[in-house]
Amino acid sequence: LGESAGAITRAHWNSVYGSKQPDQVSWFRPHLDASLEYLRTSGIERSAAVVDVGGGASTFVDDLLNAGYGDVTVLDVSDEALRVVRDRLGERAQRVKWVRTDVTELTMPSGAFQFWHDRAVFHFLLQPHARERYVAALRRTLASRGYALIATFGPDGPEKCSGLDVRRYDADALEAELGDGFKRVANSTEVHITPWGTPQQFVYALFRRKEPRR
Ligand SMILES: C[S@@+](CC[C@H](N)C(=O)[O-])C[C@H]1O[C@@H](n2cnc3c(N)ncnc32)[C@H](O)[C@@H]1O
């Protein structure tokens, strides 16, 4: 069952990126300004390992490279999405690590990342076990004192994204999902305007991984 659910997810997203221009999807923004601002204010080094989880075709990776971040991973369940961004980046794509996987099945080494970025991915996880696996992957791969920025539709946001049902969160609910081991350091809401002018409420929350107990 797990495998077939994964195959359906992948087929959905491959068909989205195979049929729509990157700027013709509801979640498109020319730049992920709020995410970039959180990254800057976290103060992590330019050499720190940053992962864009479900990066899709967004320009976050372009902006990271432009800002001099040297250890960038883009992860997505859709090979089509990764292809679109790789093509756009051309030569510069070689400076990025590309990981085609479902985040709930992520097998990366422990402490691999210092900054985890997820905009509009966690909210698709409807099954408790899928959210548990996401949080387990985050716990394992985020280094001690690393940051996780998670953005989802907010309580007043839409009930669907890309035609799929979503769960909506406020910052407290996101914090509760992550459980012990994370400290919330900031949060905000954003009214995102889709390319066709519809407002959508997003909630952003920045968490810091606590030091392991001695
Ligand atoms: C709504 S889009 C957001 C894209 C990008 N983060 C942005 O803000 O523009 C959701 C993205 O997450 C990817 N995705 C959805 N479910 C996923 C999963 N379980 N594991 C990894 N990626 C997933 C999709 O392929 C898609 O690129």
Side-chain angles (χ1 to χ4, degrees), residues 13 17 27 54-56 58 76-78 101-103 119-121 124 161:
W13 291 105
Y17 291 107
W27 55 92
S58 89
D76 206 285
V77 69
S78 161
T101 186
D102 186 313
V103 61
R119 176 173 178 268
V121 185
F124 290 111
C161 181

Side-chain angles (χ1 to χ4, degrees), residues 88-166:
R88 185 175 71 222
L89 288 173
E91 285 260 295
R92 299 203 302 160
Q94 292 169 19
R95 289 159 48 188
V96 177
K97 293 170 209 159
W98 305 94
V99 181
R100 214 280 303 149
T101 186
D102 186 313
V103 61
T104 64
E105 292 163 13
L106 180 62
T107 56
M108 300 278 291
S110 94
F113 304 118
Q114 267 110 45
F115 197 102
W116 172 286
H117 174 257
D118 162 353
R119 176 173 178 268
V121 185
F122 183 73
H123 68 193
F124 290 111
L125 302 178
L126 304 181
Q127 305 299 329
H129 78 92
R131 294 196 294 280
E132 279 160 24
R133 292 176 67 153
Y134 176 106
V135 172
L138 170 62
R139 277 176 185 279
R140 192 182 71 256
T141 59
L142 190 66
S144 166
R145 303 191 56 74
Y147 290 91
L149 177 63
I150 302 180
T152 65
F153 281 169
D156 299 326
E159 290 175 3
K160 282 179 188 269
C161 181
S162 189
L164 304 174
D165 289 337
V166 298

Side-chain angles (χ1 to χ4, degrees), residues 12-91:
H12 171 84
W13 291 105
N14 276 337
S15 114
V16 167
Y17 291 107
S19 62
K20 290 178 198 260
Q21 292 301 314
D23 60 355
Q24 288 304 312
V25 290
S26 59
W27 55 92
F28 172 77
R29 301 180 72 76
H31 300 279
L32 301 192
D33 308 286
S35 302
L36 291 163
E37 187 58 26
Y38 275 113
L39 182 77
R40 265 193 296 272
T41 55
S42 77
I44 64 154
E45 307 274 334
R46 293 292 195 275
S47 58
V50 179
V51 60
D52 192 10
V53 174
S58 89
T59 59
F60 192 57
V61 56
D62 313 51
D63 289 333
L64 291 177
L65 294 177
N66 288 339
Y69 290 90
D71 186 348
V72 180
T73 300
V74 178
L75 177 163
D76 206 285
V77 69
S78 161
D79 11 62
E80 274 298 315
L82 298 180
R83 186 189 55 74
V84 169
V85 195
R86 269 201 297 250
D87 287 354
R88 185 175 71 222
L89 288 173
E91 285 260 295

